[in-house]
Amino acid sequence: MAALHISEQSLTATALPSKTDENQLGKKIVVRLPVLFCGLLLAVVANSHAEELPANLDWLEVVAFARHQTDYSGVFVYQYDNRVETTSIVHVNQPDGEYEKLESLDGPQREIISHDGRIWGFVNHKMVQLGSNYGHGNFPSLLPEQLAALKANYKAKLLGVARVAGYNTQVILFKPIDNLRYAHEIWVHTDSGLLLKAAVLGDNNKVEEQYAFTQLQIGGKIDRSWIKECDKAAAKLKDAPPANADIKPINSGWVADMLPSGFKKTLEIERLMHGRHAPVTQMVFSDGLSSISIFIEPNDRDEDDEDGLSSRGAVNLYHKVMDKELITVVGEVPPRTVIQVLDSVRYNGK
Amino acid sequence: MKQKISVLMDGELFEDEAETLLDQIKRGSDVDNDWDMYHLIGDVLRQPEHIHCGMSNKIRERMEDEPVVFAPRVRAVKQRMRTFALSAAASLSAVGVVAWMSLQISPEVAPQLAMQQTAFRPASMQIKPDANDYLAAHQEFSPSADLNGGASYIRTVSYSNGAAQ
C-alpha cells in the first residue's frame, strides 16, 4: 500500500491540470459537448484574472531619477544566503554633485563614501580610494535603450500597494520571459519614487536576495559634516591618476554565442586587476535589469584554482580554464545561465 | 470501519481482513473517500509544504487526455466506452474547474509544482573572498545598478572591503 501511495505522489507533478493549457481545453470542447459549459466557465474566470497592465515602465524612470535627486538618510537590511546585514545610508546633493555614505552597522566596521564617480573607504582610519563607479554618473542613468531592453525581456505587473518602513509603496513585479534570468520585485515609494524594498526571485519564487529599508527619512535635516572630510581626502589625492586610468576600451575578438536573448553588450574593456600581471579583458552585457560580465585573462595564476560555480545572493560566478585562458562569468542571473554563457565563449579572431 | 482503514494504512491489519477491506474500498465510495482523506492528513503532517489534494481525480483526468485506441470490431464496447467517457469527462471537468479555482486562490502553488520538474540548480558554494575582485569589477560597470538600489550599494561595500584587505 505504501509503495502505491508513493508512486501516486511522484505522479502529481505531471498530473496537475495546467491552468493555461487552453489548446487542450479547446480539443475537449470539440470532442465532448458536456464539457462546453465548464470550458466557458473556465474562460470567464481566466479573463477576470488577466489584469496585466502593459506599460509600468514609467515607474522605473521615476526610480532612477529619485535615486539620484532625493536627499535621504536611513537604515536598510540586506538578506542573502541566510545572512542578514544592516547598513545605514545617507545620500545628499551638493552643488558639486552627489555624496553618498554607507556604514555597516553589524560585523566589522566599514564605511564607504562615494562622490564624483569615486568610491572612498576608511582603512586604518585613513581615507583611501577603493574603486570607481564608472557606469553610474551623477545623472539618472536609465537610458532609453535600457528601458526598451527591459520591456522586451520582462513583463511588468503592478501588484498593488504595500507599506515599507512606514511609507506607502507601489509593488511591481518584473517577470522574465525565460528561466535564464531572475524575476525582480520592487517596492517603490509612491510619493518620492525611492526604491524602499527589492527582492530577486529564482525558481519556485525562492528569494535569492532582498533588501528593505527599515527606517528612512526623506528630505529634512540631514547630517552633512562628513562631506568636508571626504573633500579633504580628495584634495590630497589631486595628483593621483583619474579613477579610470587603468581602463581602456578595446575590441578583444572574444564572443559568447549562448547569451540569453536580449542581452546586449554595453562595454568591452581591458583593465588592470588587483593581483594580476596581465590586463584582463572584461565584457559587460545587460538585458535592462540584470547584467553579465565575462572576464578573460591568461591563466598564469599560481594557485590551482579549481573550475566551479559559486554564488552570493543573486550573484553567480562560474570560472573555468579554457586552453590558455582563465574565463570567469559573473552576473545576477541563475547558475544555469552563467554556465551556459561560459561554455559558449570563444575567440573569434580580430 | 474508519478504525480498520487507519490500521490498514499503518500496515497492521491481517492479510485476510485487509483483503476484505480493500474489496470494500473498491466498491464503496464512502470508504474510498475516507482512504483518500487519511492519506491527505498523513501528507499534511509529514510535509506541509506540498499538499496534493484531489490527486487521483487529476490523474484520472490526465489519463482521459491520453489517446485511446478502440479496436474497430467491438462496436458495443466502443459505444459504452464513449458514453462512459462523456459522462466521466463532464464530471471530471467539473472537479477540474473547482480544483483550478482553488488554485487561483493561492496562485503560488501551481507554478511552483510546474517548475519543480524543470528546476535545475547545480551544487554551488559561497563565493570565495579572492573572487571579490570580479564581483567588484562586475558591479562597477553594471548598467542596471540604479534599479537594483540597495543591493548594489551593499555589494559595493562588501566587495570593496575585500579588495582593500
Side-chain angles (χ1 to χ4, degrees), chain A residues 16 19 87 132 134 141 209 211 271 291 293 297 310-312 332, chain B residues 62 100 113 125-126 134 138 140-142 144 146 150 153-155 159:
Chain A
L16 257 183
K19 62 174 176 184
T87 308
S132 50
Y134 183 85
S141 52
E209 68 171 35
Y211 87 92
R271 61 181 301 160
S291 47
S293 282
E297 64 199 287
S310 49
S311 70
R312 181 183 298 166
E332 48 277 9
Chain B
R62 282 298 272 262
W100 184 77
L113 288 172
M125 20 179 236
Q126 286 260 317
Y134 293 114
H138 169 69
E140 196 174 329
F141 297 102
S142 177
S144 27
D146 275 347
Y153 307 148
I154 190 73
R155 283 183 201 140
Y159 304 163

PDB file of all heavy atoms in Angstrom, chain A residues 16 19 87 132 134 141 209 211 271 291 293 297 310-312 332, chain B residues 62 100 113 125-126 134 138 140-142 144 146 150 153-155 159:
ATOM      1  N   LEU A  16      -0.971  17.307 -12.505  1.00  0.00           N
ATOM      2  CA  LEU A  16      -1.721  18.514 -12.186  1.00  0.00           C
ATOM      3  C   LEU A  16      -2.304  19.129 -13.446  1.00  0.00           C
ATOM      4  O   LEU A  16      -1.624  19.262 -14.452  1.00  0.00           O
ATOM      5  CB  LEU A  16      -0.791  19.539 -11.552  1.00  0.00           C
ATOM      6  CG  LEU A  16      -0.907  19.696 -10.055  1.00  0.00           C
ATOM      7  CD1 LEU A  16       0.012  20.799  -9.603  1.00  0.00           C
ATOM      8  CD2 LEU A  16      -2.328  20.002  -9.648  1.00  0.00           C
ATOM      9  N   LYS A  19      -3.353  25.195 -15.828  1.00  0.00           N
ATOM     10  CA  LYS A  19      -4.447  26.146 -15.962  1.00  0.00           C
ATOM     11  C   LYS A  19      -4.343  26.955 -17.239  1.00  0.00           C
ATOM     12  O   LYS A  19      -5.297  27.544 -17.679  1.00  0.00           O
ATOM     13  CB  LYS A  19      -4.495  27.069 -14.753  1.00  0.00           C
ATOM     14  CG  LYS A  19      -3.247  27.898 -14.593  1.00  0.00           C
ATOM     15  CD  LYS A  19      -3.419  28.872 -13.475  1.00  0.00           C
ATOM     16  CE  LYS A  19      -2.127  29.628 -13.260  1.00  0.00           C
ATOM     17  NZ  LYS A  19      -2.178  30.529 -12.142  1.00  0.00           N
ATOM     18  N   THR A  87      22.799  48.127   7.192  1.00  0.00           N
ATOM     19  CA  THR A  87      23.643  49.212   6.707  1.00  0.00           C
ATOM     20  C   THR A  87      22.894  50.534   6.807  1.00  0.00           C
ATOM     21  O   THR A  87      21.697  50.586   6.534  1.00  0.00           O
ATOM     22  CB  THR A  87      24.005  48.963   5.223  1.00  0.00           C
ATOM     23  OG1 THR A  87      24.532  47.647   5.088  1.00  0.00           O
ATOM     24  CG2 THR A  87      25.036  49.964   4.733  1.00  0.00           C
ATOM     25  N   SER A 132      35.949  52.789  -8.427  1.00  0.00           N
ATOM     26  CA  SER A 132      35.232  53.838  -9.128  1.00  0.00           C
ATOM     27  C   SER A 132      33.862  53.339  -9.525  1.00  0.00           C
ATOM     28  O   SER A 132      33.592  52.149  -9.556  1.00  0.00           O
ATOM     29  CB  SER A 132      36.021  54.253 -10.366  1.00  0.00           C
ATOM     30  OG  SER A 132      36.360  53.102 -11.094  1.00  0.00           O
ATOM     31  N   TYR A 134      32.245  53.713 -12.556  1.00  0.00           N
ATOM     32  CA  TYR A 134      32.356  54.132 -13.948  1.00  0.00           C
ATOM     33  C   TYR A 134      30.993  54.273 -14.604  1.00  0.00           C
ATOM     34  O   TYR A 134      30.689  55.251 -15.251  1.00  0.00           O
ATOM     35  CB  TYR A 134      33.186  53.078 -14.678  1.00  0.00           C
ATOM     36  CG  TYR A 134      33.488  53.353 -16.119  1.00  0.00           C
ATOM     37  CD1 TYR A 134      34.570  54.142 -16.470  1.00  0.00           C
ATOM     38  CD2 TYR A 134      32.717  52.794 -17.117  1.00  0.00           C
ATOM     39  CE1 TYR A 134      34.864  54.368 -17.791  1.00  0.00           C
ATOM     40  CE2 TYR A 134      33.005  53.021 -18.443  1.00  0.00           C
ATOM     41  CZ  TYR A 134      34.072  53.808 -18.772  1.00  0.00           C
ATOM     42  OH  TYR A 134      34.361  54.024 -20.070  1.00  0.00           O
ATOM     43  N   SER A 141      20.786  57.224 -14.868  1.00  0.00           N
ATOM     44  CA  SER A 141      21.488  56.540 -15.945  1.00  0.00           C
ATOM     45  C   SER A 141      20.615  55.514 -16.642  1.00  0.00           C
ATOM     46  O   SER A 141      21.103  54.597 -17.268  1.00  0.00           O
ATOM     47  CB  SER A 141      22.739  55.868 -15.393  1.00  0.00           C
ATOM     48  OG  SER A 141      22.388  55.069 -14.297  1.00  0.00           O
ATOM     49  N   GLU A 209      17.855  36.996  -2.944  1.00  0.00           N
ATOM     50  CA  GLU A 209      18.352  38.045  -2.066  1.00  0.00           C
ATOM     51  C   GLU A 209      17.311  39.144  -2.007  1.00  0.00           C
ATOM     52  O   GLU A 209      16.465  39.269  -2.894  1.00  0.00           O
ATOM     53  CB  GLU A 209      19.684  38.608  -2.572  1.00  0.00           C
ATOM     54  CG  GLU A 209      19.563  39.385  -3.864  1.00  0.00           C
ATOM     55  CD  GLU A 209      20.856  40.122  -4.234  1.00  0.00           C
ATOM     56  OE1 GLU A 209      21.936  39.604  -3.961  1.00  0.00           O
ATOM     57  OE2 GLU A 209      20.747  41.217  -4.791  1.00  0.00           O
ATOM     58  N   TYR A 211      16.555  43.305  -0.168  1.00  0.00           N
ATOM     59  CA  TYR A 211      16.918  44.337   0.775  1.00  0.00           C
ATOM     60  C   TYR A 211      15.695  45.190   1.027  1.00  0.00           C
ATOM     61  O   TYR A 211      14.777  45.259   0.204  1.00  0.00           O
ATOM     62  CB  TYR A 211      18.102  45.162   0.264  1.00  0.00           C
ATOM     63  CG  TYR A 211      17.708  46.304  -0.603  1.00  0.00           C
ATOM     64  CD1 TYR A 211      17.486  47.551  -0.047  1.00  0.00           C
ATOM     65  CD2 TYR A 211      17.517  46.134  -1.952  1.00  0.00           C
ATOM     66  CE1 TYR A 211      17.084  48.597  -0.839  1.00  0.00           C
ATOM     67  CE2 TYR A 211      17.109  47.171  -2.744  1.00  0.00           C
ATOM     68  CZ  TYR A 211      16.899  48.403  -2.174  1.00  0.00           C
ATOM     69  OH  TYR A 211      16.479  49.432  -2.944  1.00  0.00           O
ATOM     70  N   ARG A 271      41.475  45.975 -18.578  1.00  0.00           N
ATOM     71  CA  ARG A 271      41.710  46.655 -17.314  1.00  0.00           C
ATOM     72  C   ARG A 271      42.764  45.923 -16.504  1.00  0.00           C
ATOM     73  O   ARG A 271      43.040  44.746 -16.724  1.00  0.00           O
ATOM     74  CB  ARG A 271      40.415  46.720 -16.511  1.00  0.00           C
ATOM     75  CG  ARG A 271      39.878  45.330 -16.177  1.00  0.00           C
ATOM     76  CD  ARG A 271      38.597  45.406 -15.421  1.00  0.00           C
ATOM     77  NE  ARG A 271      38.777  46.141 -14.193  1.00  0.00           N
ATOM     78  CZ  ARG A 271      37.792  46.700 -13.514  1.00  0.00           C
ATOM     79  NH1 ARG A 271      36.558  46.611 -13.960  1.00  0.00           N
ATOM     80  NH2 ARG A 271      38.025  47.338 -12.396  1.00  0.00           N
ATOM     81  N   SER A 291      22.737  42.039 -15.374  1.00  0.00           N
ATOM     82  CA  SER A 291      23.882  42.121 -16.262  1.00  0.00           C
ATOM     83  C   SER A 291      24.818  40.939 -16.035  1.00  0.00           C
ATOM     84  O   SER A 291      24.802  40.296 -14.993  1.00  0.00           O
ATOM     85  CB  SER A 291      24.617  43.444 -16.078  1.00  0.00           C
ATOM     86  OG  SER A 291      24.813  43.703 -14.719  1.00  0.00           O
ATOM     87  N   SER A 293      28.954  39.822 -16.667  1.00  0.00           N
ATOM     88  CA  SER A 293      30.312  40.208 -17.047  1.00  0.00           C
ATOM     89  C   SER A 293      31.096  38.955 -17.405  1.00  0.00           C
ATOM     90  O   SER A 293      31.002  37.934 -16.721  1.00  0.00           O
ATOM     91  CB  SER A 293      31.030  40.900 -15.884  1.00  0.00           C
ATOM     92  OG  SER A 293      30.623  42.227 -15.749  1.00  0.00           O
ATOM     93  N   GLU A 297      41.390  36.228 -19.086  1.00  0.00           N
ATOM     94  CA  GLU A 297      42.774  36.570 -18.730  1.00  0.00           C
ATOM     95  C   GLU A 297      43.661  35.354 -18.966  1.00  0.00           C
ATOM     96  O   GLU A 297      43.174  34.217 -18.954  1.00  0.00           O
ATOM     97  CB  GLU A 297      42.842  36.988 -17.261  1.00  0.00           C
ATOM     98  CG  GLU A 297      42.467  35.868 -16.308  1.00  0.00           C
ATOM     99  CD  GLU A 297      42.081  36.372 -14.929  1.00  0.00           C
ATOM    100  OE1 GLU A 297      42.980  36.781 -14.206  1.00  0.00           O
ATOM    101  OE2 GLU A 297      40.885  36.333 -14.588  1.00  0.00           O
ATOM    102  N   SER A 310      30.124  29.318  -7.910  1.00  0.00           N
ATOM    103  CA  SER A 310      29.910  29.797  -6.548  1.00  0.00           C
ATOM    104  C   SER A 310      28.892  30.920  -6.604  1.00  0.00           C
ATOM    105  O   SER A 310      28.596  31.457  -7.667  1.00  0.00           O
ATOM    106  CB  SER A 310      31.221  30.264  -5.927  1.00  0.00           C
ATOM    107  OG  SER A 310      31.906  31.133  -6.789  1.00  0.00           O
ATOM    108  N   SER A 311      28.344  31.252  -5.473  1.00  0.00           N
ATOM    109  CA  SER A 311      27.285  32.256  -5.506  1.00  0.00           C
ATOM    110  C   SER A 311      27.239  33.062  -4.234  1.00  0.00           C
ATOM    111  O   SER A 311      27.713  32.630  -3.184  1.00  0.00           O
ATOM    112  CB  SER A 311      25.928  31.580  -5.723  1.00  0.00           C
ATOM    113  OG  SER A 311      25.575  30.854  -4.579  1.00  0.00           O
ATOM    114  N   ARG A 312      26.726  34.246  -4.348  1.00  0.00           N
ATOM    115  CA  ARG A 312      26.420  35.072  -3.183  1.00  0.00           C
ATOM    116  C   ARG A 312      25.126  35.803  -3.494  1.00  0.00           C
ATOM    117  O   ARG A 312      25.073  36.625  -4.400  1.00  0.00           O
ATOM    118  CB  ARG A 312      27.541  36.061  -2.909  1.00  0.00           C
ATOM    119  CG  ARG A 312      27.252  36.908  -1.677  1.00  0.00           C
ATOM    120  CD  ARG A 312      28.309  37.931  -1.449  1.00  0.00           C
ATOM    121  NE  ARG A 312      29.612  37.320  -1.204  1.00  0.00           N
ATOM    122  CZ  ARG A 312      30.758  38.011  -1.242  1.00  0.00           C
ATOM    123  NH1 ARG A 312      30.747  39.288  -1.518  1.00  0.00           N
ATOM    124  NH2 ARG A 312      31.883  37.412  -1.004  1.00  0.00           N
ATOM    125  N   GLU A 332      24.064  38.635 -12.084  1.00  0.00           N
ATOM    126  CA  GLU A 332      22.925  38.387 -11.205  1.00  0.00           C
ATOM    127  C   GLU A 332      21.865  37.628 -12.004  1.00  0.00           C
ATOM    128  O   GLU A 332      20.744  38.081 -12.206  1.00  0.00           O
ATOM    129  CB  GLU A 332      22.383  39.665 -10.558  1.00  0.00           C
ATOM    130  CG  GLU A 332      22.131  40.855 -11.414  1.00  0.00           C
ATOM    131  CD  GLU A 332      23.365  41.695 -11.695  1.00  0.00           C
ATOM    132  OE1 GLU A 332      24.504  41.292 -11.373  1.00  0.00           O
ATOM    133  OE2 GLU A 332      23.209  42.767 -12.261  1.00  0.00           O
TER     134      GLU A 332
ATOM    135  N   ARG B  62      -6.084  13.398 -16.413  1.00  0.00           N
ATOM    136  CA  ARG B  62      -4.994  13.433 -17.376  1.00  0.00           C
ATOM    137  C   ARG B  62      -5.007  12.185 -18.241  1.00  0.00           C
ATOM    138  O   ARG B  62      -4.685  12.227 -19.429  1.00  0.00           O
ATOM    139  CB  ARG B  62      -3.647  13.566 -16.664  1.00  0.00           C
ATOM    140  CG  ARG B  62      -3.346  14.968 -16.196  1.00  0.00           C
ATOM    141  CD  ARG B  62      -3.255  15.932 -17.378  1.00  0.00           C
ATOM    142  NE  ARG B  62      -1.908  15.973 -17.909  1.00  0.00           N
ATOM    143  CZ  ARG B  62      -1.029  16.907 -17.610  1.00  0.00           C
ATOM    144  NH1 ARG B  62      -1.355  17.898 -16.829  1.00  0.00           N
ATOM    145  NH2 ARG B  62       0.178  16.882 -18.109  1.00  0.00           N
ATOM    146  N   TRP B 100      -9.131  23.993 -10.099  1.00  0.00           N
ATOM    147  CA  TRP B 100      -8.413  25.105 -10.719  1.00  0.00           C
ATOM    148  C   TRP B 100      -8.730  26.412 -10.003  1.00  0.00           C
ATOM    149  O   TRP B 100      -7.878  27.238  -9.745  1.00  0.00           O
ATOM    150  CB  TRP B 100      -8.814  25.181 -12.197  1.00  0.00           C
ATOM    151  CG  TRP B 100      -8.058  26.223 -12.930  1.00  0.00           C
ATOM    152  CD1 TRP B 100      -6.774  26.137 -13.373  1.00  0.00           C
ATOM    153  CD2 TRP B 100      -8.520  27.513 -13.282  1.00  0.00           C
ATOM    154  NE1 TRP B 100      -6.422  27.297 -13.976  1.00  0.00           N
ATOM    155  CE2 TRP B 100      -7.465  28.155 -13.941  1.00  0.00           C
ATOM    156  CE3 TRP B 100      -9.722  28.184 -13.111  1.00  0.00           C
ATOM    157  CZ2 TRP B 100      -7.584  29.449 -14.430  1.00  0.00           C
ATOM    158  CZ3 TRP B 100      -9.839  29.459 -13.602  1.00  0.00           C
ATOM    159  CH2 TRP B 100      -8.774  30.088 -14.252  1.00  0.00           C
ATOM    160  N   LEU B 113       4.677  23.906  -8.475  1.00  0.00           N
ATOM    161  CA  LEU B 113       4.697  22.487  -8.795  1.00  0.00           C
ATOM    162  C   LEU B 113       5.131  22.275 -10.228  1.00  0.00           C
ATOM    163  O   LEU B 113       5.864  21.358 -10.531  1.00  0.00           O
ATOM    164  CB  LEU B 113       3.314  21.896  -8.570  1.00  0.00           C
ATOM    165  CG  LEU B 113       2.950  21.763  -7.089  1.00  0.00           C
ATOM    166  CD1 LEU B 113       1.506  21.350  -6.949  1.00  0.00           C
ATOM    167  CD2 LEU B 113       3.852  20.748  -6.412  1.00  0.00           C
ATOM    168  N   MET B 125      28.836  26.743  -4.177  1.00  0.00           N
ATOM    169  CA  MET B 125      29.295  27.136  -2.866  1.00  0.00           C
ATOM    170  C   MET B 125      29.365  28.652  -2.774  1.00  0.00           C
ATOM    171  O   MET B 125      29.110  29.351  -3.731  1.00  0.00           O
ATOM    172  CB  MET B 125      30.652  26.524  -2.600  1.00  0.00           C
ATOM    173  CG  MET B 125      31.387  26.103  -3.872  1.00  0.00           C
ATOM    174  SD  MET B 125      32.953  25.443  -3.531  1.00  0.00           S
ATOM    175  CE  MET B 125      33.978  26.495  -4.531  1.00  0.00           C
ATOM    176  N   GLN B 126      29.710  29.123  -1.611  1.00  0.00           N
ATOM    177  CA  GLN B 126      29.854  30.555  -1.392  1.00  0.00           C
ATOM    178  C   GLN B 126      31.018  31.076  -2.235  1.00  0.00           C
ATOM    179  O   GLN B 126      32.030  30.396  -2.384  1.00  0.00           O
ATOM    180  CB  GLN B 126      30.184  30.793   0.078  1.00  0.00           C
ATOM    181  CG  GLN B 126      29.006  30.608   0.989  1.00  0.00           C
ATOM    182  CD  GLN B 126      28.402  31.930   1.350  1.00  0.00           C
ATOM    183  OE1 GLN B 126      29.110  32.873   1.640  1.00  0.00           O
ATOM    184  NE2 GLN B 126      27.099  32.010   1.302  1.00  0.00           N
ATOM    185  N   TYR B 134      36.384  40.162  -8.948  1.00  0.00           N
ATOM    186  CA  TYR B 134      35.492  40.009 -10.094  1.00  0.00           C
ATOM    187  C   TYR B 134      34.137  40.630  -9.790  1.00  0.00           C
ATOM    188  O   TYR B 134      33.536  41.293 -10.627  1.00  0.00           O
ATOM    189  CB  TYR B 134      35.302  38.527 -10.430  1.00  0.00           C
ATOM    190  CG  TYR B 134      36.541  37.848 -10.934  1.00  0.00           C
ATOM    191  CD1 TYR B 134      37.158  36.845 -10.203  1.00  0.00           C
ATOM    192  CD2 TYR B 134      37.088  38.203 -12.163  1.00  0.00           C
ATOM    193  CE1 TYR B 134      38.289  36.222 -10.661  1.00  0.00           C
ATOM    194  CE2 TYR B 134      38.221  37.583 -12.642  1.00  0.00           C
ATOM    195  CZ  TYR B 134      38.831  36.582 -11.884  1.00  0.00           C
ATOM    196  OH  TYR B 134      39.947  35.975 -12.348  1.00  0.00           O
ATOM    197  N   HIS B 138      32.540  43.672 -11.735  1.00  0.00           N
ATOM    198  CA  HIS B 138      31.238  43.495 -12.382  1.00  0.00           C
ATOM    199  C   HIS B 138      30.281  44.585 -11.920  1.00  0.00           C
ATOM    200  O   HIS B 138      29.587  45.202 -12.717  1.00  0.00           O
ATOM    201  CB  HIS B 138      30.675  42.122 -12.044  1.00  0.00           C
ATOM    202  CG  HIS B 138      29.248  41.931 -12.427  1.00  0.00           C
ATOM    203  ND1 HIS B 138      28.829  41.858 -13.732  1.00  0.00           N
ATOM    204  CD2 HIS B 138      28.131  41.831 -11.673  1.00  0.00           C
ATOM    205  CE1 HIS B 138      27.512  41.710 -13.751  1.00  0.00           C
ATOM    206  NE2 HIS B 138      27.068  41.697 -12.523  1.00  0.00           N
ATOM    207  N   GLU B 140      30.963  47.483 -10.728  1.00  0.00           N
ATOM    208  CA  GLU B 140      31.399  48.805 -11.157  1.00  0.00           C
ATOM    209  C   GLU B 140      30.785  49.203 -12.498  1.00  0.00           C
ATOM    210  O   GLU B 140      30.430  50.342 -12.725  1.00  0.00           O
ATOM    211  CB  GLU B 140      32.923  48.744 -11.288  1.00  0.00           C
ATOM    212  CG  GLU B 140      33.622  50.049 -11.345  1.00  0.00           C
ATOM    213  CD  GLU B 140      35.129  49.797 -11.334  1.00  0.00           C
ATOM    214  OE1 GLU B 140      35.581  48.795 -10.722  1.00  0.00           O
ATOM    215  OE2 GLU B 140      35.838  50.579 -11.953  1.00  0.00           O
ATOM    216  N   PHE B 141      30.627  48.227 -13.368  1.00  0.00           N
ATOM    217  CA  PHE B 141      30.162  48.540 -14.720  1.00  0.00           C
ATOM    218  C   PHE B 141      28.754  48.032 -14.994  1.00  0.00           C
ATOM    219  O   PHE B 141      28.292  48.051 -16.114  1.00  0.00           O
ATOM    220  CB  PHE B 141      31.117  47.960 -15.753  1.00  0.00           C
ATOM    221  CG  PHE B 141      32.482  48.560 -15.660  1.00  0.00           C
ATOM    222  CD1 PHE B 141      33.498  47.861 -15.038  1.00  0.00           C
ATOM    223  CD2 PHE B 141      32.723  49.825 -16.164  1.00  0.00           C
ATOM    224  CE1 PHE B 141      34.755  48.420 -14.937  1.00  0.00           C
ATOM    225  CE2 PHE B 141      33.978  50.389 -16.061  1.00  0.00           C
ATOM    226  CZ  PHE B 141      35.000  49.685 -15.436  1.00  0.00           C
ATOM    227  N   SER B 142      28.116  47.550 -13.953  1.00  0.00           N
ATOM    228  CA  SER B 142      26.773  47.020 -14.149  1.00  0.00           C
ATOM    229  C   SER B 142      25.813  48.164 -14.458  1.00  0.00           C
ATOM    230  O   SER B 142      25.623  49.054 -13.654  1.00  0.00           O
ATOM    231  CB  SER B 142      26.336  46.294 -12.878  1.00  0.00           C
ATOM    232  OG  SER B 142      25.026  45.846 -13.032  1.00  0.00           O
ATOM    233  N   SER B 144      22.695  48.326 -14.609  1.00  0.00           N
ATOM    234  CA  SER B 144      21.362  48.352 -14.007  1.00  0.00           C
ATOM    235  C   SER B 144      21.402  48.665 -12.517  1.00  0.00           C
ATOM    236  O   SER B 144      20.452  48.398 -11.804  1.00  0.00           O
ATOM    237  CB  SER B 144      20.666  47.023 -14.252  1.00  0.00           C
ATOM    238  OG  SER B 144      21.581  45.987 -14.392  1.00  0.00           O
ATOM    239  N   ASP B 146      21.052  51.282 -10.868  1.00  0.00           N
ATOM    240  CA  ASP B 146      20.003  52.174 -10.385  1.00  0.00           C
ATOM    241  C   ASP B 146      18.741  51.423 -10.013  1.00  0.00           C
ATOM    242  O   ASP B 146      18.006  51.827  -9.136  1.00  0.00           O
ATOM    243  CB  ASP B 146      19.652  53.197 -11.470  1.00  0.00           C
ATOM    244  CG  ASP B 146      20.589  54.379 -11.401  1.00  0.00           C
ATOM    245  OD1 ASP B 146      21.288  54.488 -10.387  1.00  0.00           O
ATOM    246  OD2 ASP B 146      20.616  55.166 -12.350  1.00  0.00           O
ATOM    247  N   GLY B 150      19.487  49.296  -3.207  1.00  0.00           N
ATOM    248  CA  GLY B 150      20.300  48.945  -2.045  1.00  0.00           C
ATOM    249  C   GLY B 150      21.193  47.756  -2.263  1.00  0.00           C
ATOM    250  O   GLY B 150      22.294  47.693  -1.715  1.00  0.00           O
ATOM    251  N   TYR B 153      24.334  48.955  -3.548  1.00  0.00           N
ATOM    252  CA  TYR B 153      25.121  49.676  -2.548  1.00  0.00           C
ATOM    253  C   TYR B 153      25.895  48.688  -1.689  1.00  0.00           C
ATOM    254  O   TYR B 153      27.082  48.808  -1.481  1.00  0.00           O
ATOM    255  CB  TYR B 153      24.249  50.471  -1.564  1.00  0.00           C
ATOM    256  CG  TYR B 153      23.238  51.407  -2.135  1.00  0.00           C
ATOM    257  CD1 TYR B 153      22.052  51.635  -1.458  1.00  0.00           C
ATOM    258  CD2 TYR B 153      23.481  52.093  -3.305  1.00  0.00           C
ATOM    259  CE1 TYR B 153      21.111  52.512  -1.940  1.00  0.00           C
ATOM    260  CE2 TYR B 153      22.534  52.971  -3.801  1.00  0.00           C
ATOM    261  CZ  TYR B 153      21.344  53.173  -3.111  1.00  0.00           C
ATOM    262  OH  TYR B 153      20.411  54.029  -3.588  1.00  0.00           O
ATOM    263  N   ILE B 154      25.134  47.716  -1.200  1.00  0.00           N
ATOM    264  CA  ILE B 154      25.731  46.824  -0.208  1.00  0.00           C
ATOM    265  C   ILE B 154      26.789  45.950  -0.854  1.00  0.00           C
ATOM    266  O   ILE B 154      27.806  45.639  -0.269  1.00  0.00           O
ATOM    267  CB  ILE B 154      24.656  45.976   0.502  1.00  0.00           C
ATOM    268  CG1 ILE B 154      25.246  45.236   1.695  1.00  0.00           C
ATOM    269  CG2 ILE B 154      23.996  44.992  -0.414  1.00  0.00           C
ATOM    270  CD1 ILE B 154      25.532  46.123   2.849  1.00  0.00           C
ATOM    271  N   ARG B 155      26.562  45.591  -2.110  1.00  0.00           N
ATOM    272  CA  ARG B 155      27.592  44.821  -2.806  1.00  0.00           C
ATOM    273  C   ARG B 155      28.862  45.646  -2.888  1.00  0.00           C
ATOM    274  O   ARG B 155      29.952  45.147  -2.651  1.00  0.00           O
ATOM    275  CB  ARG B 155      27.117  44.449  -4.206  1.00  0.00           C
ATOM    276  CG  ARG B 155      26.136  43.310  -4.199  1.00  0.00           C
ATOM    277  CD  ARG B 155      25.775  42.961  -5.626  1.00  0.00           C
ATOM    278  NE  ARG B 155      24.515  42.240  -5.674  1.00  0.00           N
ATOM    279  CZ  ARG B 155      23.591  42.445  -6.593  1.00  0.00           C
ATOM    280  NH1 ARG B 155      23.784  43.352  -7.530  1.00  0.00           N
ATOM    281  NH2 ARG B 155      22.496  41.752  -6.591  1.00  0.00           N
ATOM    282  N   TYR B 159      32.262  44.145  -1.342  1.00  0.00           N
ATOM    283  CA  TYR B 159      33.340  43.780  -2.272  1.00  0.00           C
ATOM    284  C   TYR B 159      34.550  44.687  -2.100  1.00  0.00           C
ATOM    285  O   TYR B 159      35.687  44.248  -2.122  1.00  0.00           O
ATOM    286  CB  TYR B 159      32.881  43.873  -3.729  1.00  0.00           C
ATOM    287  CG  TYR B 159      31.678  43.061  -4.058  1.00  0.00           C
ATOM    288  CD1 TYR B 159      30.962  43.306  -5.212  1.00  0.00           C
ATOM    289  CD2 TYR B 159      31.247  42.039  -3.213  1.00  0.00           C
ATOM    290  CE1 TYR B 159      29.840  42.564  -5.523  1.00  0.00           C
ATOM    291  CE2 TYR B 159      30.128  41.296  -3.508  1.00  0.00           C
ATOM    292  CZ  TYR B 159      29.426  41.573  -4.666  1.00  0.00           C
ATOM    293  OH  TYR B 159      28.324  40.860  -4.974  1.00  0.00           O
TER     294      TYR B 159
END
